[in-house]
Structures are given as structure tokens and as C-alpha cells.
Amino acid sequence: MAARRRKRDEPLDQERGVFMISVAAELAEMHPQTLRMYEARGLITPKRSPKNTRLYSQADVERLRRIQQMTNEEGLNLAGVETVLKLERSMERMRREIARFRERAERVERMLEEVERVRDTVKSELVPYGAYEAALGRTPEAKPVRVPIRRRGKGA
Amino acid sequence: MAARRRKRDEPLDQERGVFMISVAAELAEMHPQTLRMYEARGLITPKRSPKNTRLYSQADVERLRRIQQMTNEEGLNLAGVETVLKLERSMERMRREIARFRERAERVERMLEEVERVRDTVKSELVPYGAYEAALGRTPEAKPVRVPIRRRGKGA
DNA sequence: TTGCTCCTCACGTCACGTGAGGTGGC
DNA sequence: TTGCTCCTCACGTCACGTGAGGTGGC
């Protein structure tokens, strides 16, 4: 509890409560009372100092500006802001998922191409086992082994 | 222009303007005047009869009920409804894209597995060309050919 | 004529922003 | 003391829903 987890300096600074309410309100171009109201509505949750003073982070201020944009420019009410913020979070997750699957698909496609390229190279350097045995004189005739590799993209 | 494009019977019925405003309002549990207001705000666009009477489709009614849910249950104003409907459309597109990439990734992974399975089978039936030549007595020594196939998932 | 449609205008209600008013600690 | 903080209460404004009022065609 005493030590905040920190990954790098950057996120710490972004999340750190540094602005008292008058400063945060000025930065977000809002009335201080509006910030208190938003907190009561659960739209923003600033840190608190040991003396119970609200401390807003840089991320808080950006969130406030985003809210400001939605209410003033787009005309949303606070219920709408809440819903949209939730939807945007979920869209961010989806974007990451799309990136993940795209990467996975492309990576595996590259592997498949590599495998086929190698197979084409190697195939010319390999000889069916039957022919090898025949060359050793172990079998009367060298029946060619049928190589059941299917070409990519053809058949089931 | 005269003939509406139709793919199946289903979508036609869904989109066909069949309810006059009093019926649509009753189905959506709304005041008729509210429906007119939503149209003025661009939230819904019913068809019109040749005599300029509004004709709401089943899809229109469902959209109205969705709007009703957002305004009454979630407390959004109309600007919020508009934004959320837009976001939901875009999320639907993203969901489809995720499905597409997932499918593509899984399909290619299955192909890769198939290729590797076949390669493992075939490899035991093949002999490096060098060994074959040695067996024929064409070369003094049978240097094994190094097969540069990399195992999946290991190394670059 | 009745009951629907179309439209515009107006009013009541509610959400939200903001100001006032009173408290307390550097 | 000044200027901040905390809080609650109240008021003005605006969006939205809905009703009224007048029109017109089956």
C-alpha cells in the first residue's frame, strides 16, 4: 500500500495526483464545482491528499477535457458521457484484439510460405527411400515412393 | 428506381414501411409526436406513402425501442443516442473484422499443421541425395545433406 | 361526421451548470 | 486576514416530451 507500483516513469507521472481542484478546473476550462459534481456522478475519481484535498492527475485533466468536448461540442448529457466512455474503452480493447489476430495470421502465413519454400528446395535434394534401397541392391526393384504433399490452396 | 432491390424475402419484410405513425407509436410505446420529433432530429427516417403519410418498418420500430431504452432506462439525451448508435455500428464492423482475422489465422494454422504432419511422415521415407549417390557408388563418401527445415515455434 | 394524417407553437419537467453560503486549515 | 479547501442548497437555462390547435383527405 505504501509504495505505488510503477512500471516506468511515464505512467507514474500521467497518473500522479498533482493538481488541486482550482488548477485542474483551469486546465480543463471548467468550474471547480462542476468537477465536484462529476466526481459525485462517478465520472472522475481524483486522488485525495492526506488532508482530503482532491488531487487531479494529468490523465484526469485529459479525461475532463474529453468530457468537456462531449458535453459542450456534441451536446451529450452525463449519462451519455458515461455510456460513450464505456463504449470507447471496449472499442480500444477490440482494436487491440484485431491487431493481435492480424499479427497472428500474418506470422503463421509467413511460416507457411517459409515451409513451402524450404520444401521445394529440399525435395530436389531428397530421394525416395525405395530408390535408395534399390541403389544399395537390397530390393529387386526401386518402386518410387509416392510423396503425398498437397499443394497449398488446392483440395481439402 | 421502380423495383426495390431484394435479396431474400426476409430483409424486404424487415425494411418495408407497413405501420402508420399511430401503430408504430403504439408498438414502440411512444407518443406519435415523439416519433415526428425524432424524425426532425434525424434519428429515424420512415418511408412515406404517395400521400406523404409516414410508413414505419419493423426495423424502424426496433430502432425506436432501442432509442426508448437508451433515453428512458439509461437516461441519455438525443445527442447521446445519436453518438451511441454510431459507435455501435462501428463496433459491429469491428466484431466482424475480428471474426474474419480469427478465422484466417486458424485456417492458416491448420494448413501449417497439416504441412508439418505430412513432412514428418514423408521425411522418414526420403533419403538425402548424397547418401543415394554414395549407395550408387558415384561418390567416395556419403556426406549427409543438412535439411534446413526449422521446427515451428523455435528460433527466428 | 369520425378518426386519422400533416404541421407549428407552447408549456411543464428535469438535468446540469454554477453561484451562494457556511466551515476549516495552511 | 486572505485565499484556498470542503460541503449543501438553490436557482436559471435548456432539452425534451407532450398537448393543443388548425389543416386536409379517406
Side-chain angles (χ1 to χ4, degrees):
Chain A
M1 277 301 269
R4 290 162 48 86
R5 94 196 126 96
R6 70 170 82 182
K7 293 172 183 174
R8 295 174 202 80
D9 281 356
E10 190 64 18
L12 177 70
D13 290 343
Q14 280 294 315
E15 300 297 334
R16 193 171 174 183
V18 288
F19 307 122
M20 64 170 52
I21 196 167
S22 58
V23 179
E26 196 172 358
L27 290 173
E29 296 174 272
M30 285 177 167
H31 193 100
Q33 197 59 21
T34 305
L35 270 58
R36 297 193 181 97
M37 197 192 67
Y38 285 0
E39 185 178 358
R41 293 281 304 255
L43 283 172
I44 187 111
T45 310
K47 306 280 187 303
R48 295 275 183 153
S49 76
K51 295 196 189 67
N52 204 34
T53 296
R54 278 169 257 254
L55 290 176
Y56 293 83
S57 69
Q58 189 60 48
D60 287 333
V61 171
E62 275 156 33
R63 186 178 177 88
L64 285 171
R65 297 189 76 98
R66 178 83 186 95
I67 293 173
Q68 166 94 317
Q69 186 187 25
M70 286 192 272
T71 56
N72 286 11
E73 295 174 27
E74 303 171 32
L76 302 221
N77 63 7
L78 301 188
V81 167
E82 212 178 323
T83 304
V84 168
L85 288 177
K86 221 176 284 178
L87 285 178
E88 285 180 347
R89 257 203 308 282
S90 129
M91 286 181 76
E92 192 40 52
R93 274 197 302 273
M94 291 174 81
R95 251 187 286 277
R96 276 198 295 272
E97 201 172 358
I98 287 174
R100 206 160 53 79
F101 274 115
R102 161 180 279 142
E103 206 182 321
R104 180 174 140 195
E106 287 173 355
R107 185 167 43 78
V108 182
E109 275 166 10
R110 279 195 303 276
M111 287 177 65
L112 191 61
E113 278 163 22
E114 166 82 359
V115 163
E116 295 204 328
R117 195 179 57 71
V118 167
R119 193 200 56 196
D120 289 345
T121 307
V122 168
K123 208 163 60 172
S124 66
E125 296 174 10
L126 293 179
V127 168
Y129 188 73
Y132 173 67
E133 287 214 314
L136 287 175
R138 286 196 196 140
T139 48
E141 52 181 338
K143 267 206 302 198
V145 174
R146 185 129 192 284
V147 180
I149 294 173
R150 295 184 195 89
R151 292 300 296 177
R152 181 184 166 201
K154 290 179 190 169
Chain B
M1 277 302 271
R4 290 163 47 88
R5 94 195 126 95
R6 71 171 81 179
K7 291 172 183 173
R8 294 173 202 83
D9 282 353
E10 191 62 21
L12 177 71
D13 289 343
Q14 280 294 312
E15 301 295 335
R16 193 172 176 183
V18 287
F19 307 123
M20 62 170 53
I21 195 167
S22 57
V23 178
E26 196 174 356
L27 289 173
E29 295 173 273
M30 285 176 166
H31 193 101
Q33 197 58 21
T34 305
L35 269 59
R36 297 194 182 98
M37 196 191 68
Y38 285 0
E39 185 178 0
R41 294 281 304 258
L43 283 172
I44 187 110
T45 309
K47 308 277 187 302
R48 295 275 183 153
S49 77
K51 294 196 190 69
N52 205 33
T53 296
R54 281 168 254 253
L55 290 177
Y56 294 83
S57 69
Q58 190 59 50
D60 287 333
V61 171
E62 275 155 33
R63 186 178 177 88
L64 286 171
R65 298 189 75 97
R66 178 84 187 92
I67 294 173
Q68 165 95 317
Q69 184 186 27
M70 285 193 273
T71 55
N72 286 11
E73 296 174 26
E74 303 172 32
L76 303 219
N77 63 7
L78 301 187
V81 167
E82 211 178 323
T83 304
V84 168
L85 288 178
K86 221 176 285 177
L87 285 179
E88 283 179 349
R89 258 202 307 280
S90 131
M91 285 180 77
E92 192 42 50
R93 274 198 302 274
M94 291 173 82
R95 251 186 286 277
R96 276 198 295 272
E97 201 171 358
I98 287 173
R100 208 161 51 79
F101 275 115
R102 161 180 279 142
E103 204 183 321
R104 180 175 142 193
E106 287 173 357
R107 186 167 44 77
V108 182
E109 275 167 11
R110 278 195 304 275
M111 289 178 63
L112 191 62
E113 278 163 21
E114 166 80 0
V115 164
E116 294 204 328
R117 196 180 55 71
V118 167
R119 192 200 59 199
D120 289 345
T121 307
V122 167
K123 208 163 61 174
S124 65
E125 296 173 11
L126 293 178
V127 169
Y129 188 73
Y132 173 68
E133 288 214 311
L136 287 175
R138 289 195 194 138
T139 48
E141 52 179 337
K143 267 207 299 195
V145 174
R146 185 128 191 286
V147 181
I149 293 172
R150 292 184 197 88
R151 292 300 296 178
R152 177 184 169 204
K154 289 177 189 171

